[in-house]
Amino acid sequence: QVQLLESGGGLVQPGGSLRLSCAASGRFFGINAMGWYRQALGKERELVARITSGGTTDYEDSVKGRFTISRDNAKNTLYLQMNSLKPEDTAVYYCKFTVRSADGWLRSYWGQGTQVTVSS
C-alpha cells in the first residue's frame, strides 16, 4: 500500500505564491508518472500538471508560465510551485502517483487533497 501526504495549501492574495508538496511512503518499486490535479467547487477534477519518470512535463494551458512541477526522486516527493495566483486557481489540489507494485503492475494513488484559496 502507498500513502501520499500533501501539504502547502492555504489562503493567499491574488498575485501571491504557494508551494505544494506530496510525499509518498509505503512499499513500491519505482515511480512512473506523477501529477497534480484540482477540483473547484461544482466542477470536475482536472489535470493541472504532470511529470514523467524521464522528467518530461506538461501543463494545463491556464497555468503555463505560472506553475512549475518538479520532483525529488530521492525523497519520493512531488512539488508544485504556484506563482501569480488568480482567484480562478481556487480549488482542492490533489497529487497522483503511478507506481510499480511488488507484483509488477502499475497502480495509481491519490493524495488526500489540500485546499488552495486565492482571495483578497
Side-chain angles (χ1 to χ4, degrees):
Q1 189 70 11
V2 176
Q3 296 81 38
L4 301 182
L5 182 62
E6 298 183 34
S7 61
L11 173 64
V12 64
Q13 292 186 344
S17 298
L18 284 174
R19 189 192 193 206
L20 305 183
S21 300
C22 178
S25 61
R27 192 163 180 259
F28 54 93
F29 297 88
I31 299 174
N32 188 285
M34 309 158 92
W36 288 99
Y37 293 71
R38 67 186 178 187
Q39 187 167 16
L41 196 61
K43 295 187 177 181
E44 294 187 353
R45 192 173 297 187
E46 64 174 359
L47 175 67
V48 175
R50 58 188 170 191
I51 183 168
T52 68
S53 57
T56 300
T57 59
D58 187 27
Y59 296 90
E60 193 270 328
D61 285 346
S62 71
V63 307
K64 286 180 180 177
R66 300 189 297 122
F67 291 9
T68 302
I69 190 171
S70 62
R71 60 193 287 174
D72 184 331
N73 292 330
K75 296 181 178 179
N76 293 325
T77 301
L78 178 69
Y79 303 99
L80 185 68
Q81 178 66 43
M82 304 185 294
N83 298 328
S84 302
L85 282 161
K86 304 175 180 181
E88 50 264 43
D89 295 317
T90 295
V92 177
Y93 284 70
Y94 299 89
C95 60
K96 178 184 176 183
F97 282 29
T98 300
V99 305
R100 189 164 300 281
S101 301
D103 58 9
W105 290 98
L106 289 176
R107 288 188 170 83
S108 294
Y109 297 88
W110 291 90
Q112 82 280 10
T114 185
Q115 177 70 45
V116 171
T117 302
V118 185
S119 175
S120 55

